[in-house]
Amino acid sequence: MIERETVQKIARLARLELTAEEIEEMQGQLGRILSYVEMIQAVDTEGVEPTAHVLDVTMTLRPDVPADSGAPPSAYLKAAPDSGYGFFKVPRIVEGGEHGSV
Amino acid sequence: MDPCSLTAVQIARAVKARELTAVAVWEAFEARIRRFNPTLNAFLHVNPQAAAEAAAIDARVAAGEDPGPLAGVPVAVKDNIVTCGMPTTCASRILEGWVSPYDATVVKNLRAAGAVIAGKTNLDEFAMGGSNENSAFGPVRNPWDPRAVPGGSSGGSAAAVAARLVPLALGSDTGGSVRQPASFCHLHGLKPTYGRVSRHGLVAFASSLDQIGPLTRTADDAALLHGVLAGHDPHDATSLRPDQLPSPPAPDGPLRVGVVREFLAEGLDPGVREVVEAALAKWKAAGATLVDVSLPSAGFGIAIYYLLATSEASSNLSRYDGVRYAFRAADARNLEDLYSRTRGQGFGAEVKRRILLGTYALSAGWYDAYYRKAQQVRTLIRREVAAAFETCDVLAGPTVPTPPFALGALIDDPLSMYLSDMYAVVANLAGVPALSVPAGFTRAEGMTADGVGAIPTLPVGLQVMARPGHEETLFAFARGQEALAPELGGRVAPDPEEVSR
C-alpha cells in the first residue's frame, strides 16, 4: 500500500486524471508491485555498470539533412482531433489574454 | 486443395506456379475470418483492399513477374504496427479512429515480398498484458479452448494463425508478447535479436526491449517471414547494419542444449514440466548434449523488467496528449486539463498502472534505487547469458510457467499475470533472439477459476534462446523439434463454434 498523496502526485506528474476509486485501487496494486520489485535491492551491484545498450554495438547515425517523411504535413494534421491554418489546434492557453485559440 | 490448410511456403509456391490464384487464397481465408472472427475476436479490422491487393499479385504472376517470397500469402498485422489506409488503434480508445499517414517498415517489406495484408489484430492495450484481456475492444478467445485466454499481448495474431484465419501474423515482443501467445496457441513465435527488425512504425512501448516477430504454424514459415522482416533500416537508429551482425555459426558436433536450471525450479506447473522434460529427453536420445546451466539472476527478471519497461513506457506514452492523435476529451478548460482528461479517459487500467509505476520509478529520489539499480542487475543477467553461451549453442526451457489460463482468472491480480513472462523476459533484457516452439499438450488441473471447470487439453511451448544474430540456429532447432515430434505438426485447433452477432 502506498500513500494516497503519492499516487496523486505521480498522477499529476504523468498528466493522468484519476477517479477517487482509481486512486484507491492503484494504492493497493502499485504497493504490491513495489514490494515485489524491492527484491532487487538485495543484489550486490557494487561497481557494476548500468546497461545502456544490450549489445556491444554503436548505433547508426544518419546524415542530418532534410528528407521525405513519406507523407505531407497535411496528412498528420488530418489525423489530429483539431487543426486549422496548417497547425494543431488546442484550447486557449493564456488565461484572459486577447489572443486565444483561433 | 483448401488454401487454409496450407503453409505459407506452400501457398507462395502454388501462387507462383499458377496452381492457385492469390484471389482464391484470400477468398478462402476471408471466408474463415467472416465465420469465426465473431467468436474469437482476433481481428479488429479486415483490410477492405485485400482482394484488390491479391488481384494485383495475380496480374504480376500472369505477366511473368516474381511477386516475391510471400506471393499471395495473407499476413495479419498486430494493431500496434502502423498501416496506411487502415486504422491503427493499439486496442486503445485514445487512438480510436486514427489512421497512420505511412506504413511501418515491416509492412513495406511485406508488400514488397508479395504478401496480402489481411488486416489488423487485437492485442492488450499498447501491448501491455499477457492475456489479451486488456483490449478496449474485448478479449480474444483461444482456438484450442474458448474458455482460455490466447495469451498476450499478441493474442489476436496468435489466435488468427492457430484458427487458420491467416497462415502468418506479425506480433511484437517486449517481454514475451510473441512467445507467450505462441506457447498458448501451439505456434512458432520468434523474438529476434535486438535491432534485427526495424521498429519504424511499431508504436513504441519500451524502446530498449521491443522487437517485431512472426507467429506461424511451422518452422519453415517462421524462417520465411523473419527473412522478409529483418534487415537494416535507416529510419530506426537501433537497427543493426549487416557488418554489426556476427557470422553464423559453423555447425560442428552435436547440438549443445543448455537446460536453464532456474527455468525448471519452483513456480513451474507440473504438467508443463512433464511436456518440456519429455521434449528435452527426445533431443538427448537423438544425440544432442544436454548441459546443466545456471542463470542465477534470472529470478530478478520480472522485477527489473517491470521497472525498466514501465519507465520507458511512461516516457513513450507521453505523446498521447489530445493534440496530435485522434481522441480528445470534450470538456477541457485549459491545456493541462486537456492532457490529463484525455489521458484519464483514453487509457485503460493496465496502461494507467504502468504509466504510474514508470513515473514513480523515474521520479526524483527514486531513480537510483529503481531505474539505475535495475539497469545494473540487467548487466548481471546479460553477463550470465553470455557466459552460458560459452558452453552451449542454445538455452532451453519452458516458454511459460503454466498452460493457458481461464479468461478472467488473473485479471484482478496484475502481479500474477506479470509472472507469466518470468522465463521470456530474460531474452528481451539480454537482447538475444528467442523462439517458442510447440512441445506438446497438457491437461491443466487446478485451472478452475470462476467455476470454469478443468480445461482439457492445452498447448505447451518450449523456449530456445541463441546468441545475438543466431536466429538460424533457432530455426534449425525448430526444424529438429518438428522432426522429433511429427505428431505435433499435424495437430490443428478445432474450428470454433460460430456465434451470430
Side-chain angles (χ1 to χ4, degrees), chain B residues 17-40:
Chain B
R18 302 199 203 186
E19 290 159 11
L20 269 177
T21 65
V23 168
V25 171
W26 170 246
E27 283 173 352
F29 281 107
E30 193 195 20
R32 283 186 70 82
I33 295 172
R34 300 281 168 221
R35 262 178 86 190
F36 300 121
N37 197 53
T39 306
L40 296 172

Side-chain angles (χ1 to χ4, degrees), chain B residues 421-482:
Chain B
D421 288 321
M422 61 196 283
Y423 311 136
V425 293
V426 172
N428 303 81
L429 292 168
V432 302
L435 178 69
S436 181
V437 299
F441 292 84
T442 185
R443 183 171 294 277
E445 311 291 348
M447 299 299 284
T448 55
D450 305 334
V452 167
I455 294 171
T457 309
L458 292 169
V460 173
L462 174 70
Q463 175 180 239
V464 275
M465 298 189 268
R467 296 184 187 90
H470 286 196
E471 278 82 357
E472 280 309 320
T473 305
L474 298 178
F475 298 136
F477 183 95
R479 292 184 187 106
Q481 172 67 16
E482 284 177 337

Side-chain angles (χ1 to χ4, degrees), chain A residues 6-7 10-18 22 25-26 29-30 32-34 36-41 43-45 48-51 53-60 62 69-71 75-76 79-82 88-93 95, chain B residues 98-99 101-102 193-194 234 237-239 241 244 299-300 302-304 307 322-326 328 334-336 338-341 343-344 347 349 352-353 355-357 359-360 369-370 373 375-376 378-380 382 415 418-419 429 431 468:
Chain A
T6 310
V7 177
I10 54 175
R12 169 80 209 287
L13 288 173
R15 300 293 186 268
L16 204 52
E17 188 175 82
L18 298 180
E22 282 178 315
E25 205 176 77
M26 292 293 175
Q29 289 171 340
L30 293 178
R32 278 192 293 281
I33 297 167
L34 285 169
Y36 176 81
V37 303
E38 208 53 39
M39 67 164 75
I40 67 166
Q41 305 307 338
V43 184
D44 180 6
T45 52
V48 177
E49 269 297 298
T51 291
H53 193 289
V54 286
L55 305 174
D56 290 326
V57 296
T58 314
M59 301 221 287
T60 310
R62 59 184 157 81
S69 77
Y76 293 87
D82 198 7
F88 295 114
K89 282 167 77 173
V90 295
R92 180 187 296 266
I93 297 169
E95 298 289 337
Chain B
W98 183 72
V99 179
Y102 67 98
T193 306
Y194 185 76
T238 62
S239 162
R241 299 185 310 270
Q244 291 174 313
F300 300 108
I302 288 295
I304 65 177
L307 289 168
V323 175
R324 288 164 289 171
Y325 300 95
R328 170 181 288 186
N334 55 45
L335 197 60
E336 182 169 339
L338 175 80
Y339 297 154
S340 32
R341 290 197 179 186
R343 292 159 65 78
F347 289 136
K352 288 179 185 173
R353 198 148 47 227
I355 289 175
L356 291 172
L357 189 60
T359 306
Y360 185 75
Y370 289 124
K373 182 81 179 180
Q375 290 287 31
Q376 288 178 305
R378 184 180 192 177
T379 301
L380 296 179
R382 286 169 51 219
L415 189 56
Y418 296 172
L419 291 172
L429 292 168

Side-chain angles (χ1 to χ4, degrees), chain B residues 116 124 244 392:
Chain B
V116 171
D124 285 296
Q244 291 174 313
C392 308

Side-chain angles (χ1 to χ4, degrees), chain B residues 83-100:
Chain B
T83 44
C84 289
M86 269 181 279
T88 299
T89 65
C90 292
S92 181
R93 294 283 174 210
I94 213 159
L95 277 174
E96 198 175 2
W98 183 72
V99 179
S100 169

Side-chain angles (χ1 to χ4, degrees), chain B residues 472-500:
Chain B
E472 280 309 320
T473 305
L474 298 178
F475 298 136
F477 183 95
R479 292 184 187 106
Q481 172 67 16
E482 284 177 337
L484 287 176
E487 73 284 0
L488 294 176
R491 268 185 88 162
V492 291
D495 282 348
E497 259 180 60
E498 291 176 60
V499 296
S500 49

Side-chain angles (χ1 to χ4, degrees), chain B residues 247-274:
Chain B
S247 48
D252 60 333
L255 187 73
R256 296 168 304 167
V257 180
V259 181
V260 183
R261 205 182 302 159
E262 287 79 8
F263 290 180
L264 294 168
E266 200 189 335
L268 178 61
D269 176 274
V272 173
R273 176 193 300 277
E274 201 178 308

